[in-house]
Amino acid sequence: MIEINGVSHSYGKSKILQNISLSIKESGITALIGPNGAGKSTLLSLMTRLQPLQTGSISFDGQSVSQTPTRELAKTLAILRQDNALSSRMSLRDLVGFGRYPHHKGRPTAKDHRAVDEALDYFDLQTMSDRFIDEVSGGQKQRALVAMAFCQETKYLLLDEPLNNLDMYYARSLMKRLREIADTGKRSFVIVLHDINYAGAYANEIIALKDGTLAIHGTPQDVLETKALQTLYSMEIKVTQHQGQLVALHHL
Amino acid sequence: MHAKKLIILSVLLALACIAFMTLGAKGSWSFLLVFRGTKLLALLLVSVSISVATLLFQTISGNRILTPSIMGFDALYLLVQTLLVFMLGGFTYVALDGQIKFLAEVGVMLLAAVLLFSTVMGKGRQDLHRMVLVGIIFGVLFRSLTGFLQRIIDPNDFAILQGASFAQFSSVDKDLLGLSILLVSVCCLIIWRLRYSLDVIALGRSNAINLGVNYERASFAVLVLVATLVSVSTALVGPVAFFGLLVTSLAHFIMNTHRHSILLPASILIAALILVSGQTVFERILKSQSTLSVTVEFFGGLLFLLLLFRGKMR
């Protein structure tokens, strides 16, 4: 269980987050949505200790983010960020292998190699595992980064817009993979998503932020609804149903 | 494959060392061994400190164009030295024990480096141009402050300062060798223990934190180590601008890996190979008609421009 209590954050005078309190259940996919500048990425970086908390507290299964040693937290939660300026010359396999670092501290065992192979297989990267990261496309690199976070084998995975750079085929297959993993009940995902239809189709719960405050915390049915979307995005979005699946026609 | 390349480099370095010690040797061996031996030791020590400092700096700043000297680290060391003579006065400075002086200079250097560079270090990844600019401005600032102080200083003090800071490859400051060996060994020991974390740090701040490396503490440690190593090499042979860049680029090119457990020894070996064989050629064959540092700087400078123009080596 992730517990966020009274978290506020500001850069200089501009307030990014204001008094956010919520708890996220174990297992399943939680989607974090909201318009640009709502504070999604900031909340995620506070949850993953990439930025120090200014006020409030965040804990994963009782492990406080600000007090638990960072090497311990690396076995509890993994994050995938949007900006990854990787300068080192390394193969995709090496990159994915870094996900095992919290477990082996630089000396990989047979078990670690197996985990890396599994992750490469799982995300369709085995055939290109020896290519260097500066020789593959943005989408392939993105998948390798997801695979790296995956083989870190943490209970919580926090992904900041993982569908960036992915075409329709890989975006859908990635979400399906994540859904499969979530359904085993061993891992929980918090995913920042821009496409509310992905959020509606794959998430158990949706958290919507607007202007740094918690706007909605509910099921996809609560959010995929014309009035809720109207207040959230300040635009009219028709919602229709197709074979039992709610679809927001946000592009029309 | 990496091991094989490292062995080849080691053999080449051993040959270069033998050539340096024996070529054109005339006279008593007991004198030659000590005379050339200390020189060789100093060259090796400088190779280690420059190459390791550059590699570490590039890892923490997340690019392969910047080096401690480009960022003004060695200019800062010279400023510290000048400042000490300026404040203490030439005679007090000379009267002080050489090793204590050196330690004091390293201490002040560490303090200044941490104060000045800790705020900009991690940002190189996001903004290379700003880092280059900061480096140029710091370098010019340190050099002009040094120049200013040397101008208003007492002429006697100035002569003393010249003696203290005018080190070169061909005339190494030998009094500081013992202490330098100690400092460099301690630094290298710490760095070798950090080698796996350095691989992770090279992935950038957020990835490093995600993988459980205490990034703030590690980058502080690296800054301190870099400042110490630069102090040692500057004290021994004076400022060297582009040598480190040349060495790490060659190491990356030859080894083609991200692993510090390979890059560290490789760049040390390459640096030592260039310095020892170069010094042999310039001293014994060209009879000191030209100087090694100029040649090394020329090629290093060319490489720097090339990298900057291609803009690819991030």
Side-chain angles (χ1 to χ4, degrees), chain B residues 86-102:
Chain B
F86 184 76
M87 306 232 279
L88 297 175
F91 290 108
T92 330
Y93 186 81
V94 172
L96 277 175
D97 180 66
Q99 314 223 339
I100 294 176
K101 242 174 352 203
F102 181 47

Side-chain angles (χ1 to χ4, degrees), chain A residues 203-215:
Chain A
N204 304 68
E205 273 189 22
I206 297 180
I207 295 167
L209 295 183
K210 187 181 184 183
D211 299 332
T213 55
L214 184 63

Side-chain angles (χ1 to χ4, degrees), chain A residues 49-50 79 84 87 89 152, chain B residues 205 207 209-210 256 314:
Chain A
R49 74 205 178 285
L50 294 180
I79 183 181
N84 272 293
S87 59
R89 180 105 172 129
Q152 204 172 330
Chain B
R205 181 176 178 274
N207 281 317
I209 294 176
N210 174 38
N256 204 7
R314 295 205 66 180

Side-chain angles (χ1 to χ4, degrees), chain A residues 49-50 70-71 74 77-79 81 84-90 94 98-99 101-102 105-107 148 152, chain B residues 62-64 125 195-197 199-200 202-207 209-214 256-258 313-314:
Chain A
R49 74 205 178 285
L50 294 180
T70 187
R71 55 160 67 202
L77 61 108
I79 183 181
R81 291 256 295 175
N84 272 293
L86 296 165
S87 59
S88 302
R89 180 105 172 129
M90 67 179 93
D94 290 336
F98 272 112
Y101 182 81
K105 297 276 182 283
R107 294 182 178 79
M148 170 180 151
Q152 204 172 330
Chain B
N63 73 76
R64 290 191 199 155
R125 198 170 298 269
R195 63 194 185 280
Y196 297 123
S197 335
D199 293 346
V200 176
L203 297 176
R205 181 176 178 274
S206 45
N207 281 317
I209 294 176
N210 174 38
L211 295 174
V213 169
N214 191 331
N256 204 7
T257 179
H258 63 280
M313 296 286 272
R314 295 205 66 180

Side-chain angles (χ1 to χ4, degrees), chain B residues 85 90 147 149-151 153-164:
Chain B
V85 175
L149 287 177
Q150 287 179 348
R151 229 155 269 208
I153 215 167
D154 185 279
N156 291 322
D157 293 355
F158 180 71
I160 288 162
L161 188 64
Q162 281 281 300

Side-chain angles (χ1 to χ4, degrees), chain B residues 10-21:
Chain B
S10 317
V11 171
L12 287 177
L13 176 61
L15 289 178
C17 289
I18 293 170
F20 182 83
M21 291 298 282

